[in-house]
Structure formats: C-alpha cells, structure tokens
Amino acid sequence: MVAPVTVQGLDQAPTPHTRLLAWVREVAALTRPERVVWCDGSEREWRAMTDELVASGALVRLAARPNSFWARTDPSDVARVEERTFICSADPADAGPTNNWMAPEEMKRRMTELYDGCMRGRTMYVIPFCMGPLTADSPMFGVELTDSPYVVASMRIMTRMGTSVLEKMGADASFVPCLHSVGAPLEPGAETEDTAWPCSETKYISHFPETREIWSYGSGYGGNSLLGKKCYSLRIASVIGRDEGWLAEHMLILKLTSPEGVVKYIAAAFPSACGKTNLAMLEPTIPGWKVETLGDDIAWMRFGEDGRLYAVNPEFGLFGVAPGTDWKTNPNAMRTLARGNSIFTNVALTDDGDIWWEGMGEPPAHLTDWRGADWTPESGELSSHPNSRFCTPISQCPILAPEYEDPRGVPIDAILFGGRRKTTVPLVAEARDWAHGVYLGATLSSETTAAAVGKVGVVRRDPMAMLPFIGYHAGDYFAHWIDMGKKADVTKLPRIFYVNWFRRASVEGEGDGHFLWPGFGENSRVLKWVVERIEGTAAAVDTPIGSVPAPGALDVAGLDLSAEDLAAALRVDPDEWRAELPQIQAWFEQFGEKLPGVLWAELDALRARLGVA
Ligand code: GDP
Ligand code: PGA
Ligand code: MN
Ligand code: MN
C-alpha cells in the first residue's frame, strides 16, 4: 500500500515539468525515501556528496591525487549481470533469442513489490541528465532517480547533468525515466549502515523498449546503475535508432591524422574489456601519426545531409578497465587520471594514499586490496578485481579531439569489428563490401571477460560487440544494419574491417602462448594500413574471409617482432575457419526468418570459398 507522502524536498522542485514532477512524486510514494534531493551538478554538490561518501566509509579520499577517491564494492557486485538483464517488450519476439524477456506487466508487478519502501531511511536523488551535447537539435534527456550517492557522483563524471539540463528540458521535453535503487532500505532507527556498499542479492536490470523506461534494482556497479550508459545509450537507444533510422553502437570513436595531414575518423566495436578505451587513446608508435580521442565506449551514428555516416559520443566521462592501464600501454589514460577528479573502484590502495593495479609497474611491498585486506606481492592473489574501473572526466583527456562537443559528430571513414580470440582470427582483414562487413560483425566472436558476471574465457558470438546491449531482436538488428547500408551511396559508406589484437602463439595445441602482436601503441600500424586501404595505396591479398595485408604492406619498421610471429598473426588458416562454420550456422539458425537473406548468402559464399560443399 502506498501511504500519502510528506517527503522533505518533494515540494521544492526546481522545475515546472509536470510529467517529471508527477513521476518523482509517484516514485517517492512507492519507495518512501527520507528526503528528495534535486541534483544541480555543481561543484558544491560534488564536494558535499563526496564528503558524505567519505564520512560513511564508501569512499576513501586519495592523498596522492587531487579530488580523487577509492571505492570498494560488495565482493558480489563487481560487474554487469547479464543473467539479470531483461528486455520487457510487449511481444517476446521483439526481445529475440539473445535477450532475457519478461512481459512488461509481470516485470513491473515484481519490481513494484521490490521497490515498495526500498528507499526507507535514504535520500532519493533526482539526476536530470543529457546524453550527447545539450546543443543538439533534439537533446537526448534522461532523469535518473537513485538512492545511491555513489551513482550521483559517478553520473556527474559520466554524463552532462544538473541544472543546465533541467532548464533545457523546460516544462514538457520528453525524457527517459530511469529508476534505480540499491535495494537495501535502512531499518527504522538504524543510524549507520553496517556496510559501505549496500546492495541486494536480488537484482533486476529491466528495460521497457516501447515506453522507453529503465528500472534497475539491487546493484550499485556502474554498468548496472549508471543508467545513462549501457541501459539508455545502448539498449533503449538501439530501439529508438531502429525506429528512427540510426544506430546506437558499442564503439569507440577516434580521429587519426597522417603525417601528410590527411584526417580519418574511425569507429571500432570490441566487446567489453577487449581494447576500446586503449585504442581510443592510443599513442602511435609510427612517426608523424596522430590520434585524438572522441569516445571510448558508445557511438550514436546517423547519416548527414552529405550522405556520410556521422558519429557522436553521448558520454561525458571514461569508465575504463583499470588493470593493464600503465604509462607503457596507455599513457594518455594515465595523464587523464593524473589530473584528478576521478573515482577508482575495486583497485588496490597504496600506503601513501594512491591507487595501484596489476600491470602498473612493479608492485609495492604492501597494499590494501580490493576486498580491504592486506596484500603483499607474496599474497598470490590479485590486488585489484579484473573488472576494477576508473571513472574520469573525458574533458581531462589530453588528446580529446575538438570535435567532441560538435552535436553533428564526425564522418566515419572506417568501422572496425574486433574480439578477443586466441586462435583463428587474423590481426586484420578487410570486408569486401557493406553486406560482407555486416556479416563479419554479425558473426563476431570473442572470449568472455570479467566485465560481466560469469565464466571468463569462453568463446561466444558477440554480434557487433552488442550481444548484451541490443534492445530488440538481433535478427531485426542485423536487418537494420543492412538497411542502413542502403541509405547512402556505397562510395560514402564507411569501409569495414575485422581485427584481433589477442591471437596467441600456440603451446602444444593449447593456443595459449604469448600474444603474437604487441598491441597497444603498435596498433597504429594497423590503423595506417586501414587508412592506406581507403586511400587505395596499400596492397592486400584476398583470402576466404576478406583481404589481409600483402607481404610487406603492413608497416613494421622498427618493430621488434619475429617474422614467424608476424606471419602467424596475419595467417588465415582454412582449416580453422572451416571449424567455425557449424557454429556460425547454428548461431544464424536461431534467428529464423528474421535473419536477413543476405547474411545466409554471405555464409554460403564463405563456405564456397573454403571449399565446403
Ligand atoms: P574496453 O573494455 O573494450 O574499453 O577495453 P580496454 O581498452 O579497457 O582493455 C581491456 C583490457 O585489454 C585491458 O587490460 C588492456 O590492458 C587490454 N588491452 C587493450 N588493448 C590491448 C592490446 O592491443 N593488446 C593486448 N594484449 N591487450 C590489450
Ligand atoms: P567497457 O565498458 O566496454 O569499457 O568494458 C563497460 C562494459 O561494457 O561493461
Ligand atoms: Mn562497454
Ligand atoms: Mn572501455
């Protein structure tokens, strides 16, 4: 039963937006917080919020970094929960075989029960936010209601939020309502928490695509709780994009300038923890080449009047995998973090108030690990969770491209699809055309990582790196990609490439030796080949799966790499590819008649090229 509410703060709403007010009132009546706070996004608010989080023990202020904080989650709340993520479309066929589905009424009934009184003893924060520049023709608004001050602080880094957004929304702008609770009400009389990271064993990350709503319960982890990110900008936005003729994709965006001053914009889709943030901030090892960052996780892409595909990064911050980030691998991330104003979650704390994680040089003699325990190099355990993250303003990135704030975005010249495969997939291959490129994306495979709860290292199909993020039927999604290619002159479409930084030298058939390709800054060599393919100056050899660099075409000058490793990195082994065919067949079959015929035709053509009847 919903009791009449007198909640402190409810009547001091700084907006005339009647639908927003009604919704806030309705949620407060259901969840029964102690007070409601309208977030203004100010510096003062950030200070108050972080001070409060430090006082409660949820954050530790880092002595060694300006305005930066260390957070530890509950050990059970460390990653996205794909098993608990639902697409609640009216018709189950609209969720498709790759999503969990529940009827919207049933999900709302269940979650309403969970939300009933779930904010007791807590503050409910109202976070008005905008994905993409506020100066866009139709700004993409959202409002998140949450009982987590950690979410408020993180949303301030990751999105444009606060008073400027609320003002721009005026009295009737449409917005995506995003409801979040950690699902841990404070018992009556409880003055303090018994944990610094409240959450619930019961978790739901639910999306209602028809009504464009998001309901999240039970988790405080970024991917489950910062609802502007995966939930809005990928799952809900992919549905909006389907309806309106654009694409919401799990892609980084970078600007590449050649020594001759030729500029290309490249988007790349890799699954979570497969190299987007690193490639987006890459420091080229080849002389004269320059990379500037536009985005590291999400791209919204639509055709411009000139017939080219333009990409915008809807986010305002970077939420990057910490382990492996280092001055050697990703110096621009280190520079970004050195400017402070960041939250580090589930990394290790040094004795002098700095952070440390695996891959960041020599380990200190003593640390406090991500579980809060003493750690020494002899502990034999990871000091940081493999999915530990830094959350930092993108404006601090020293190589941020000036086009970042342009609401029109940048015209994409090339799209890379990539995954993490120990075997089979070569360093780089070029698609024959758009349909073949869509086929490569639709059959993309990768080993699972710690970014989602579950077993790590299992090869699965992850189409366009969007498996956990497509908000509708994957077959319809592939058809949408094929249709997009028909909207423009083929000469203006981005060229599509397939990459794999993670192939390994085989160890007695185990395929788990060293990485064949040095990766990181050296990936600039692959980008150079991509640009030269677009310009028509680089040589390639045709293989059954696409064109790979001809001998000598990939610039390896000055690279310490054996000829065997280079050849092994580039090799297309027909036997390995023939072994993939039954899996691809089975993958496609589950989409039934929704799978575009052109993709079946692409599979048939691949079979023929591999000499399989
Ligand atoms: P994202 O989650 O897709 O943004 O991936 P990240 O860029 O954060 O990288 C995920 C993990 O892969 C990190 O531990 C990186 O150090 C590692 N990584 C990124 N790029 C490369 C690469 O080119 N080669 C290798 N071997 N590892 C990489
Ligand atoms: P990632 O982003 O792609 O940088 O890992 C977070 C996620 O996808 O969970
Ligand atoms: Mn991601
Ligand atoms: Mn990333």
Side-chain angles (χ1 to χ4, degrees), residues 85-101 205-214 230-243 248-250 463 465-478 480:
T85 300
F86 293 82
I87 300 298
C88 305
S89 47
D91 182 348
D94 286 329
T98 60
N99 284 307
N100 301 309
W101 177 84
I205 318 296
S206 303
H207 307 73
F208 304 91
E210 282 93 5
T211 50
R212 322 275 203 234
E213 292 171 278
I214 299 159
K230 303 301 187 181
C231 299
Y232 181 156
S233 294
L234 290 176
R235 299 195 191 96
I236 294 294
S238 65
V239 174
I240 302 175
R242 173 200 64 190
D243 295 347
E249 296 298 324
H250 192 201
M466 282 284 282
L467 180 68
F469 308 122
I470 303 170
Y472 57 104
H473 193 296
D476 289 335
Y477 170 77
F478 300 148
H480 183 49

Side-chain angles (χ1 to χ4, degrees), residues 276-277 296-297 319-321 389:
K276 290 181 303 301
T277 300
D296 81 320
D297 198 46
F319 183 67
V321 175
R389 297 272 170 168

Side-chain angles (χ1 to χ4, degrees), residues 359-416:
M360 196 199 279
E362 285 301 304
H366 176 264
L367 293 166
T368 307
D369 73 13
W370 73 278
R371 293 167 183 272
D374 285 317
W375 184 95
T376 65
E378 292 74 45
S379 298
E381 285 187 60
L382 295 175
S383 72
S384 303
H385 188 276
N387 191 39
S388 54
R389 297 272 170 168
F390 55 77
C391 181
T392 192
I394 198 168
S395 61
Q396 293 183 182
C397 175
I399 57 162
L400 186 68
E403 298 90 321
Y404 166 74
E405 281 291 351
D406 188 340
R408 288 167 306 177
V410 294
I412 298 298
D413 295 288
I415 291 174
L416 316 185

